[in-house]
């Protein structure tokens, strides 16, 4: 093997080992890093909403920037804590209703099996054995409620990080000027920062809007069909829709199972499935791409691979954050000649985002 061959093999091996080391480090530091990332995204969301409010007539002239950000933060804080309270109120009745729905499903399964001269008995006890897990409802309820209580402190920590990030943005100009004294290099740094903020902020803000609309649409559908716990399932659908491609369809499974237990294998269940599918397709595959445009521009294969990788590293949080984190990595890789070709392969159409060469200090001076 030639010297160039050894160099390429060494480079590939180094990249693989570095990826494994980074993945292990991210997994080990999950408890520290995940709330920091959530805080940064929440800061992006607050800034994005505040910027959108500037478009309201006379709003930006009457309400100063710091007050707009404060109002946005307070509203989001109250919204998230009301959401936690909503889950705390609905988690217990949903968990308590599961055995009744399993018994109803057992009757349906047994009835359908009898048409094929096959006997099957599915009860709550046999369902537990099937899962090889003796479920104690009281323990499950206490665990769920304790998780909600823990989440309240977790949300407070995330908001603290978000506020600190928002305060820090005013001091970052001087720090970057001290680190990168060259004007041209500093312009490239600011161009990259602006590009990341624009991509992540646009994606997260628009995705949140899409999820809220989808949740409201699904809630109306659940109400029209008389599904129990309609609001709970609608919120789950909105949350799972952050997970690309598969999340919203996974969220459909639970209400459909409850619908079968509630209404049996009837035409109403098929109509419910058709209505939910139509909502998912209309919102997720038609309205969302037109609303968000090319804010991420990643290949669907890359999205699925990143979903699997980040889920393995950070669990459910990694699944929700997979698109945002991978997009940021692709944007950073595009800055370096050695990794630019790989960044192009990860995009959907081969077009890398163009970095605006702007420097806030130069803008202010002009």
């Amino acid at each position: 093997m030639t010297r160039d061959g050894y160099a390429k093999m060494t480079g590939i091996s180094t990249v693989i080992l570095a990826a494994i080391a980074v993945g292990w480090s991210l997994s080990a530091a999950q408890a520290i890093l995940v709330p920091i990332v959530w805080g940064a995204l929440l800061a992006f969301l607050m800034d994005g909403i505040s910027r959108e409010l500037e478009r309201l007539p006379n709003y930006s002239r009457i309400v100063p920037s710091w007050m707009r950000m404060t109002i946005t933060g307070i509203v989001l804080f109250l919204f998230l804590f009301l959401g936690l309270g909503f889950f705390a109120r609905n988690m217990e009745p949903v968990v308590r209703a599961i055995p009744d729905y399993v018994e109803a499903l057992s009757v349906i399964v047994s009835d359908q099996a009898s048409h094929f001269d096959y006997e099957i008995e599915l009860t709550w006890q046999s369902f537990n054995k099937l899962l090889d897990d003796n479920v104690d409802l009281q323990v499950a309820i206490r665990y769920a409620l304790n998780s909600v209580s823990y989440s309240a402190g977790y949300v407070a920590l995330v908001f603290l990080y978000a506020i600190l990030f928002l305060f820090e943005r005013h001091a970052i100009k001087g720090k970057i000027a001290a680190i990168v004294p060259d004007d041209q290099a500093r312009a490239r740094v600011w161009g990259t920062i602006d590009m990341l903020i624009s991509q992540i902020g646009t994606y997260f803000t628009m995705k949140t809007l899409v999820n809220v609309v989808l949740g409201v649409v699904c809630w109306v559908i659940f109400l029209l069909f008389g599904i129990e716990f309609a609001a709970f399932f609608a919120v789950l659908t909105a949350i799972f829709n952050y997970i690309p491609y598969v999340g919203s369809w996974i969220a459909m499974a639970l209400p459909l199972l409850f619908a079968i237990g509630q209404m049996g294998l009837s035409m109403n269940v098929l109509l419910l499935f058709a209505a939910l599918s139509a909502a998912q397709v209309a919102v997720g595959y038609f309205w969302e791409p037109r609303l968000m445009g090319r804010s991420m521009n990643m290949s669907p294969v890359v999205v699925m691979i990143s979903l699997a990788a980040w889920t393995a590293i950070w669990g459910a949080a990694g699944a929700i954050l997979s698109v945002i984190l991978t997009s940021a990595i692709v944007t950073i890789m595009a800055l370096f000649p050695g990794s630019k070709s790989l960044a192009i392969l990860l995009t959907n159409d081969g077009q890398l985002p163009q970095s605006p060469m702007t420097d806030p200090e130069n803008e202010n001076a002009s």
Side-chain angles (χ1 to χ4, degrees):
M1 184 178 294
T2 63
R3 181 177 299 178
D4 290 340
Y6 279 116
K8 290 181 180 180
M9 182 176 294
T10 302
I12 294 173
S13 302
T14 302
V15 170
I16 294 175
L17 292 176
I20 295 174
V22 170
W24 180 87
S25 300
L26 291 174
S27 179
Q30 175 181 355
I32 299 173
L33 295 178
V34 171
I36 295 176
V37 175
W38 281 124
L41 290 178
L42 185 59
F44 281 129
L45 181 60
M46 293 168 63
D47 185 69
I49 294 176
S50 180
R51 291 177 183 271
E52 290 298 322
L53 291 177
E54 292 180 0
R55 301 182 180 181
L56 297 178
N58 298 323
Y59 182 79
S60 59
R61 182 174 59 85
I62 299 174
V63 183
S65 177
W66 66 268
M67 186 174 293
R68 291 197 301 269
M69 189 66 67
T70 302
I71 294 174
T72 303
I74 293 174
V75 171
L76 285 177
F77 187 79
L78 294 176
F79 180 79
L80 288 178
F81 267 92
L82 287 176
L84 289 175
F86 169 82
F87 271 100
R89 289 192 306 272
N90 287 271
M91 188 72 72
E92 181 173 352
V94 170
V95 174
R96 288 188 181 278
I98 289 178
D100 296 333
Y101 279 91
V102 171
E103 294 295 338
L105 285 172
S106 70
V107 175
I108 297 173
V109 172
S110 300
D111 180 65
Q112 295 298 317
S114 64
H115 295 299
F116 301 94
D117 296 327
Y118 185 78
E119 294 184 359
I120 183 171
E121 181 183 3
L122 179 63
T123 63
W124 176 241
Q125 290 76 18
S126 63
F127 185 71
N128 289 341
K129 294 178 182 179
L130 181 64
L131 297 177
D132 195 24
D133 184 18
N134 295 319
V135 176
D136 188 335
L137 279 180
Q138 297 299 326
V139 173
I141 292 171
R142 285 198 301 270
Y143 177 78
L145 294 178
N146 289 336
S147 298
V148 172
S149 301
Y150 169 77
S151 298
Y154 192 86
V155 168
L157 177 62
V158 169
F159 258 93
L160 177 60
Y161 279 126
I163 293 172
L164 292 176
F165 278 125
L166 291 174
F167 281 136
E168 187 70 16
R169 65 176 182 168
H170 297 292
I172 196 67
K173 297 179 182 179
K175 295 181 179 180
I176 291 181
I179 295 173
V180 187
D182 181 70
D183 293 339
Q184 186 176 2
R186 186 166 63 248
R188 286 196 296 269
V189 171
W190 275 114
T192 303
I193 294 175
D194 290 340
M195 186 166 49
L196 288 173
I197 291 175
S198 176
Q199 285 182 335
I200 297 175
T202 300
Y203 175 83
F204 197 59
T205 303
M206 294 298 102
K207 188 69 173 179
T208 300
L209 174 62
V210 168
N211 293 353
V212 170
V213 172
L214 179 62
V216 171
V217 172
C218 291
W219 176 63
V220 173
I221 293 174
F222 293 144
L223 288 180
L224 291 176
F225 282 88
I227 303 300
E228 195 175 6
F229 313 117
F232 180 80
F233 291 135
V235 173
L236 279 185
T237 301
I239 294 175
F240 271 91
N241 198 49
Y242 280 105
I243 302 175
Y245 296 125
V246 298
S248 55
W249 298 101
I250 294 174
M252 284 177 53
L254 188 58
L256 283 174
L257 287 175
F258 270 67
I260 294 173
Q262 181 177 334
M263 299 182 291
L265 289 175
S266 61
M267 181 60 66
N268 284 339
V269 175
L270 294 178
L271 292 176
L272 174 62
F273 174 76
L276 292 176
S277 300
Q280 296 285 356
V281 172
V283 174
Y285 294 92
F286 288 96
W287 183 50
E288 181 177 342
R290 287 162 177 76
L291 182 66
M292 301 178 66
R294 298 174 62 255
S295 59
M296 291 291 118
N297 190 31
M298 286 197 303
S299 166
V301 176
V302 174
V303 171
M304 292 303 298
I305 294 175
S306 67
L307 174 62
W310 285 109
T311 302
I313 294 173
W314 281 352
I320 295 174
L321 298 171
S322 59
V323 173
I324 296 174
L325 295 172
T326 305
S327 175
I329 293 173
V330 171
T331 301
I332 295 173
M333 289 173 59
L335 300 176
F336 304 98
S339 57
K340 187 174 182 179
S341 57
L342 180 57
I344 294 175
L345 291 176
L346 297 178
T347 60
N348 188 37
D349 55 9
Q351 298 294 322
L352 292 174
Q354 298 298 319
S355 174
M357 297 300 180
T358 59
D359 186 343
E361 292 182 357
N362 294 338
E363 289 182 355
N364 294 335
S366 61

